[in-house]
Amino acid sequence: MRIGLRAASFTAMALLLTSPGLAQISQPNTMGIATPAESFPQEPGSDYFLANYDQYEAYLKTLASQSDRMKLVDIGKSAEGRTMWVAIVSSPENLAKLDHYKDINARLARAKGLDDAQAQALAEEGKAVVWIDAGMHATETVTTQSQIHVLYRMLTKNDAETKRILDDVIILFGHDNPDGLQLVADWYMRNEDPEKREFRTIPRLYQKYVGHDNNRDSFMAQMPETENVNRVLFREWFPQIIFNQHQTGPEGMVVFVPPFRDPFNYNYDPLLMTELQEVGSTMHSRLIAENKPGSGMRSSASYSTWHNGMERSVSYFHNSIGLLTEIIGGPTPMNIPLVPEVQLPDNDKPMPIAPREWHLADSLEYQWSLDRAVLDYASRNRDRLLFNYYRMGKNSIEEGLTDSWTTTPTDIEELQEAGKDRPAPKDENSYFRANRVDPALYGEVLQANEKRDPRAYVISRSQRDLPTTVAFLNALLKNGVEVLEADAPFSAAGTSYPAGSWIVKTSQAYRPHVLDMFEPQDHPHDVEYPGGPPKMPYDITGYTLSDQMGVGYDRVFETIDPAASPITGLLDVPAGQVVGSGDAGWLVRHETNNSFILTNRLLKAGLPVSWIKSATRAGNVEFAPGAVWIPSSGEARRIVEASVKDLGINAYAQGAAPSQEAMAIAPVRVGLVDQYGGVMPSGWTRWLFEQYEFPFEVVFPSELDQGNLADKFDVLVFANGTVPPVKDGPWSGRPSSMPDPETIPAEYRSQLGLVSEEKTAPALAEFAQDGGTIIAIGNAARLATMLKAPLVPALAKEEDGELKGLTTSEFFIPGALVEARVDPSQPLAYGITPTVDMFFDRSQSFTFTGRGTKARKVSWYESPTPLKSGWAMGQEKLQGTTAIADVDLGKGKLFVMGPEVTQRAQPYPTFKFLFNGILYGPSSKK
């Protein structure tokens, strides 16, 4: 009987989803609101059609002009200059009092100066705020096309549920990626034959610079789109629920909906996780109640809540319920395959779906149900959501004012180890005694005095790289963290600090985010079974931003309350100055990344610049090797005096040129290697080049293969992902493929092709022999083997005469920070500290073969336990191996950089390896 009912259920579902649902929801109505069907060339959600951003934007403006339920707000510009809009939807009465409700939300979110009774009164008066976005990843086409219909329905429906939602909830409908939508939709629609439409062959990244990594920029907020969204979420509106919509769903299913699998990050409030499970369960229940099968949770996909960089996961560190859905579908119809493993119902897959043809309209109906479930939950739990939002913020403030401890996986390992010699005393519950340890160990291990959480972090202005420290503080400010600036000198824990020092207290609502940015991540040792291989984490495991950016700070373990003012807006870099009055020229420290901007400005003007090869001294000022020397001239003076102010660096005027040996730096022609479709690390590198004013040209493998590269370039930069890996070899990475040239416009065909051993390597070898510089980062370090450099992969083994990669059971560092030693006397490492934290993501390390070509070890791993933040298995295998090498190839250079020294434009100190290499390589041959 059950089988028959289920079959009938599937049949009914098929009839429901193949009915003309789009036509029904787009019928004209008495409210005078333009329907999607009459507002676009073809109705969004229909087969073989995608609305682009221009059309979407025009429809938003039409709706705002026609409905008293919607207000349209400009939140800033995208990278390509398009306006980013948020459509605020609520009852007309609520829209008339938006500033009032925004103020209530801000007060509850900050949780300062409120007691529980006051907070409860505000919660009862306030409105729940829900953010629902679209378009984060532009090739995930369901979300924008769905949002068009969701908006229309919310503005026109008059049923009781809709009216209740509009009365109780303020909905912020945002779009994360206008540029990507325009590109993807235009590319898809370019073909007149609908059945030939596709977007797999788009020639470039679908968000300028970073493509899919736009959803990894949240805690940095370096892209304008992320900064705009973060300002709405964490500095203006403070939504209790942040719904970040994606695709695609698990195979053989329709949609992934929370809850997520473990691990969750131990920094955030546990109340958040229980609320997250409530909302997720509500979403599943709505789908099932509406006879929409095929949803899965937890083990159905790899999504966890560990990493802070994504829009929905950064929410957790701000006490907001972050939701992620991943749904199937697209404008080209598809089929749901029959996957036996997902056909048996269980707690994570409660209602399987039968195989069937699937249309974009089907996905839109599911998306409507999911959005509706979230909004209904927010409405029914409005005052509880608001009060709990305050409660989590208040918890954070209270924890930041007293001794508190955060238990990490390493703490539990220590507790278990201590418990081996200290079992619990016998009692009547002896059945459970095997897992018990002496209760006194709780205080001795988990709450040891030295493991207390800091109550504040103090950051002085005496930093090696002050502009980078300001960038770090601005990343915190963009995330709504309160940063104070001392109005007067003060003392903390026996240390004196001058006025102007920055203070980040942990007694603030966003304490989880503060701790996550300053303290190392301690990812669980998450394996398939005891002694087995690791479970692949969803994203990177270690990313401590203060370490990545090389920021110096002091932890303070007592409550401090110095005279200090909160910073409003973002910080400007404190102006630098010209120090002294000598007229021979200026010395500039190499430690600041901004010194490269000054250098590039001088080189662009055709002015001489040199690096002093050894340490030097000018008066009371000491300069490490690599100090920048700028001979005096009228034009040089103009550039130096103007630049030091906005760059925040000092130039020390000298009466005579330094006597030490110097290396003249010449202008360079840089080729940044990319490939058709775009490689994200290359895009991030392009962004860095533009920020630091390096001249460059993007170059594709087909051009490299033609040879004669020295006629065009002095330096070629290969970012991670630009050199294809070898299957089962020692180089990590995904295999690349190119589209059929006949399927793309002729103007893009010259970009096709991949770096190859057969064609590209000989051209690169010739380039190096002629004096060219090659920089290979991450898995692009495979070029060391292709160019027969005297380096061999250290994290590898030989099998049947071939070099193979180590298994994950043997060695596994899936995106973490590791400590490396550096020789700062070498030009490639000028300005870097003797130890530095490297970002290591299944990277490679090297040993020297000792044959022929001259090679120097610039950075290496000295410790058997180099892990600083994240997770590592087999980390001892790094000890004694080389991270970065300087190799002579003919007249030229090969700089091999195993770690990702520019990873997502986050590890600022290691940018110098790349920047130094660009300028030093060509100059070294002179």
Side-chain angles (χ1 to χ4, degrees):
M1 186 64 172
R2 288 183 179 177
I3 294 175
L5 285 173
R6 182 170 295 159
S9 169
F10 288 144
T11 302
M13 184 63 196
L15 290 172
L16 171 67
L17 293 180
T18 54
S19 64
L22 287 173
Q24 292 173 7
I25 66 173
S26 295
Q27 288 177 354
N29 66 87
T30 57
M31 299 182 70
I33 307 296
T35 68
E38 65 193 23
S39 302
F40 293 84
Q42 188 174 332
E43 183 163 15
S46 55
D47 289 347
Y48 303 110
F49 174 75
L50 285 180
N52 65 23
Y53 191 78
D54 289 343
Q55 295 160 345
Y56 164 86
E57 180 181 42
Y59 189 56
L60 290 183
K61 292 178 179 179
T62 297
L63 293 178
S65 70
Q66 294 175 338
S67 176
D68 61 358
R69 296 181 181 180
M70 175 175 156
K71 180 179 180 180
L72 199 56
V73 177
D74 175 352
I75 66 167
K77 300 295 184 184
S78 69
E80 294 180 5
R82 293 180 175 86
T83 300
M84 297 180 68
W85 299 101
V86 167
I88 305 178
V89 173
S90 194
S91 69
E93 294 75 19
N94 290 344
L95 292 179
K97 298 172 63 178
L98 280 183
D99 289 342
H100 175 64
Y101 292 122
K102 182 189 287 188
D103 178 66
I104 288 176
N105 233 39
R107 293 180 66 190
L108 291 171
R110 295 298 188 194
K112 294 175 66 174
L114 296 176
D115 59 29
D116 286 1
Q118 292 169 320
Q120 188 63 58
L122 288 172
E124 290 172 0
E125 181 185 359
K127 305 297 179 182
V129 178
V130 176
W131 164 274
I132 300 178
D133 67 12
M136 171 71 78
H137 293 146
T139 54
E140 298 172 3
T141 54
V142 170
T143 59
T144 300
Q145 313 302 305
S146 168
Q147 190 182 87
I148 291 166
H149 284 283
V150 172
L151 278 166
Y152 175 77
R153 288 175 167 182
M154 291 303 298
L155 299 183
T156 57
K157 290 178 72 69
N158 286 300
D159 58 283
E161 184 181 55
T162 299
K163 289 181 177 180
R164 174 171 49 79
I165 290 171
L166 292 171
D167 285 341
D168 292 336
V169 183
I170 296 171
I171 315 161
L172 309 177
F173 287 101
H175 199 285
D176 298 317
N177 184 8
D179 304 337
L181 172 58
Q182 191 73 24
L183 172 66
V184 169
D186 287 352
W187 186 264
Y188 182 82
M189 297 299 295
R190 80 189 192 283
N191 201 315
E192 291 186 5
D193 183 348
E195 295 194 3
K196 291 184 179 179
R197 290 176 182 165
E198 51 77 35
F199 43 74
R200 295 184 306 276
T201 61
I202 294 174
R204 65 178 179 87
L205 296 173
Y206 53 69
Q207 181 173 333
K208 189 176 181 181
Y209 305 114
V210 299
H212 206 77
D213 265 359
N214 60 1
N215 198 29
R216 300 299 185 273
D217 185 43
S218 285
F219 65 70
M220 285 294 288
Q222 300 198 102
M223 297 296 109
E225 294 89 345
T226 319
E227 182 176 351
N228 294 338
V229 170
N230 276 12
R231 184 173 57 253
V232 173
L233 299 182
F234 308 128
R235 297 163 66 190
E236 293 181 354
W237 268 107
F238 310 96
Q240 289 80 48
I241 298 177
I242 295 173
F243 188 0
N244 184 213
Q245 301 182 135
H246 288 265
Q247 64 185 102
T248 187
E251 190 174 23
M253 303 172 70
V254 175
V255 62
F256 176 89
V257 179
F260 302 95
R261 74 175 177 100
D262 285 330
F264 73 73
N265 193 299
Y266 44 71
N267 280 314
Y268 39 71
D269 197 297
L271 178 56
L272 182 74
M273 297 312 294
T274 56
E275 288 191 325
L276 172 60
Q277 293 184 61
E278 284 181 33
V279 185
S281 297
T282 298
M283 297 163 78
H284 285 281
S285 293
R286 180 125 187 175
L287 290 176
I288 293 169
E290 294 179 357
N291 203 18
K292 293 175 178 171
S295 65
M297 65 192 92
R298 283 184 290 260
S299 65
S300 299
S302 63
Y303 310 112
S304 70
T305 60
W306 179 262
H307 181 232
N308 197 327
M310 295 165 280
E311 182 186 287
R312 60 93 186 175
S313 60
V314 74
S315 308
Y316 310 136
F317 300 89
H318 293 76
N319 304 321
S320 294
I321 302 169
L323 302 174
L324 165 80
T325 53
E326 298 271 352
I327 196 167
I328 64 171
T332 301
M334 58 174 288
N335 289 298
I336 297 177
L338 178 59
V339 178
E341 291 76 13
V342 302
Q343 285 299 314
L344 182 66
D346 59 31
N347 278 326
D348 290 353
K349 303 179 288 292
M351 188 179 182
I353 189 170
R356 52 154 295 188
E357 186 176 73
W358 193 262
H359 298 265
L360 181 54
D362 301 335
S363 298
L364 266 56
E365 290 304 309
Y366 270 62
Q367 202 69 63
W368 165 247
S369 297
L370 293 166
D371 288 2
R372 193 76 163 183
V374 172
L375 296 174
D376 180 51
Y377 175 90
S379 169
R380 293 180 184 276
N381 295 274
R382 175 186 58 81
D383 55 343
R384 189 167 69 89
L385 265 178
L386 288 165
F387 182 81
N388 285 350
Y389 198 32
Y390 151 81
R391 182 71 266 164
M392 287 185 279
K394 193 73 168 181
N395 290 344
S396 286
I397 291 172
E398 292 171 350
E399 288 171 350
L401 291 171
T402 60
D403 284 346
S404 60
W405 289 262
T406 300
T407 301
T408 74
T410 297
D411 294 331
I412 299 304
E413 291 172 7
E414 291 179 13
L415 182 62
Q416 291 170 332
E417 190 63 28
K420 291 179 181 178
D421 299 323
R422 301 258 302 268
K426 290 184 178 181
D427 59 23
E428 68 277 7
N429 295 316
S430 58
Y431 176 79
F432 299 103
R433 188 169 175 271
N435 294 323
R436 295 182 174 187
V437 300
D438 184 349
L441 289 174
Y442 184 87
E444 294 175 26
V445 177
L446 296 187
Q447 293 197 344
N449 190 58
E450 66 273 12
K451 291 182 179 180
R452 288 174 297 158
D453 294 329
R455 300 191 193 182
Y457 301 91
V458 180
I459 303 169
S460 76
R461 293 185 178 232
S462 14
Q463 301 278 328
R464 283 177 55 85
D465 188 346
L466 184 58
T468 288
T469 299
V470 170
F472 168 75
L473 291 168
N474 280 337
L476 298 181
L477 290 164
K478 290 174 184 178
N479 270 278
V481 170
E482 184 179 71
V483 179
L484 305 175
E485 187 171 304
D487 298 327
F490 68 98
S491 296
T495 301
S496 297
Y497 298 96
S501 298
W502 294 295
I503 304 149
V504 182
K505 294 184 178 181
T506 59
S507 56
Q508 58 177 294
Y510 291 168
R511 177 178 183 268
H513 188 78
V514 173
L515 293 176
D516 205 50
M517 293 294 96
F518 279 95
E519 300 296 334
Q521 282 75 47
D522 184 8
H523 192 280
H525 189 71
D526 192 17
V527 294
E528 297 288 350
Y529 49 85
K535 290 182 181 178
M536 190 65 65
Y538 178 58
D539 206 272
I540 66 176
T541 63
Y543 47 84
T544 311
L545 191 57
S546 58
D547 288 348
Q548 283 205 80
M549 299 186 76
V551 175
Y553 62 87
D554 290 331
R555 295 178 174 91
V556 178
F557 296 92
E558 61 187 38
T559 298
I560 59 173
D561 192 23
S565 302
I567 295 168
T568 58
L570 299 180
L571 284 166
D572 293 322
V573 175
Q577 58 185 326
V578 174
V579 180
S581 57
D583 58 6
W586 303 268
L587 279 171
V588 174
R589 294 184 184 278
H590 206 110
E591 287 86 345
T592 59
N593 285 345
N594 279 3
S595 69
F596 289 96
I597 300 178
L598 175 59
T599 296
N600 286 328
R601 290 175 180 176
L602 293 163
L603 293 176
K604 183 178 180 180
L607 299 172
V609 181
S610 298
W611 291 349
I612 309 303
K613 291 187 176 182
S614 56
T616 188
R617 186 181 181 90
N620 295 324
V621 181
E622 295 184 355
F623 295 83
V628 183
W629 169 246
I630 307 161
S632 182
S633 69
E635 180 67 2
R637 180 175 299 278
R638 183 189 68 79
I639 293 174
V640 169
E641 290 180 349
S643 295
V644 294
K645 292 179 182 178
D646 68 279
L647 297 180
I649 57 179
N650 290 338
Y652 296 84
Q654 304 298 303
S659 59
Q660 292 92 339
E661 183 182 1
M663 178 192 308
I665 303 300
V668 292
R669 301 166 299 165
V670 180
L672 174 61
V673 178
D674 206 339
Q675 66 188 36
Y676 186 90
V679 176
M680 287 183 288
S682 182
W684 281 112
T685 306
R686 176 188 170 192
W687 182 79
L688 283 178
F689 284 171
E690 292 179 5
Q691 303 308 303
Y692 290 94
E693 300 183 18
F694 280 91
F696 71 98
E697 176 185 331
V698 175
V699 58
F700 294 89
S702 58
E703 184 175 354
L704 298 178
D705 293 349
Q706 294 172 15
N708 298 318
L709 297 171
D711 294 341
K712 307 172 189 175
F713 304 107
D714 301 300
V715 181
L716 291 171
V717 176
F718 292 80
N720 185 61
T722 56
V723 178
V726 177
K727 185 179 180 182
D728 299 325
W731 311 100
S732 66
R734 297 179 179 177
S736 300
S737 61
M738 289 288 114
D740 181 345
E742 297 303 316
T743 64
I744 64 171
E747 63 189 290
Y748 297 110
R749 292 174 190 169
S750 64
Q751 299 178 11
L752 295 175
L754 299 171
V755 169
S756 68
E757 198 152 4
E758 298 74 25
K759 293 183 178 180
T760 318
L764 294 177
E766 178 189 47
F767 173 67
Q769 290 295 322
D770 290 343
T773 295
I774 299 169
I775 302 176
I777 302 170
N779 71 359
R782 182 189 163 206
L783 289 174
T785 301
M786 293 169 64
L787 297 175
K788 298 180 173 53
L791 301 171
V792 293
L795 306 173
K797 56 188 176 184
E798 190 168 313
E799 291 183 0
D800 300 325
E802 292 185 6
L803 209 56
K804 303 285 187 181
L806 299 179
T807 66
T808 57
S809 295
E810 295 170 309
F811 180 85
F812 187 63
I813 302 183
L817 302 182
V818 296
E819 184 180 78
R821 295 286 299 176
V822 177
D823 180 359
S825 69
Q826 295 197 46
L828 196 58
Y830 282 165
I832 301 175
T833 50
T835 61
V836 70
D837 290 336
M838 298 277 201
F839 182 79
F840 193 105
D841 187 5
R842 286 159 282 186
S843 305
Q844 189 51 258
S845 196
F846 304 92
T847 57
F848 290 90
T849 64
R851 63 172 185 256
T853 305
K854 186 177 180 182
R856 287 158 295 278
K857 179 171 61 175
V858 178
S859 177
W860 62 96
Y861 304 105
E862 194 168 77
S863 167
T865 55
L867 180 70
K868 289 289 295 296
S869 178
W871 181 26
M873 293 176 61
Q875 60 176 308
E876 68 280 355
K877 291 181 171 61
L878 286 175
Q879 186 177 21
T881 67
T882 297
I884 295 178
D886 175 348
V887 181
D888 292 341
L889 289 181
K891 298 177 183 178
K893 289 282 190 182
L894 170 65
F895 299 136
V896 180
M897 304 179 185
E900 293 182 45
V901 297
T902 58
Q903 186 266 151
R904 292 174 178 162
Q906 294 173 13
Y908 275 56
T910 60
F911 294 170
K912 293 184 187 71
F913 287 117
L914 170 61
F915 296 167
N916 284 335
I918 289 171
L919 297 176
Y920 152 58
S923 300
S924 66
K925 66 183 182 181
K926 292 181 170 58

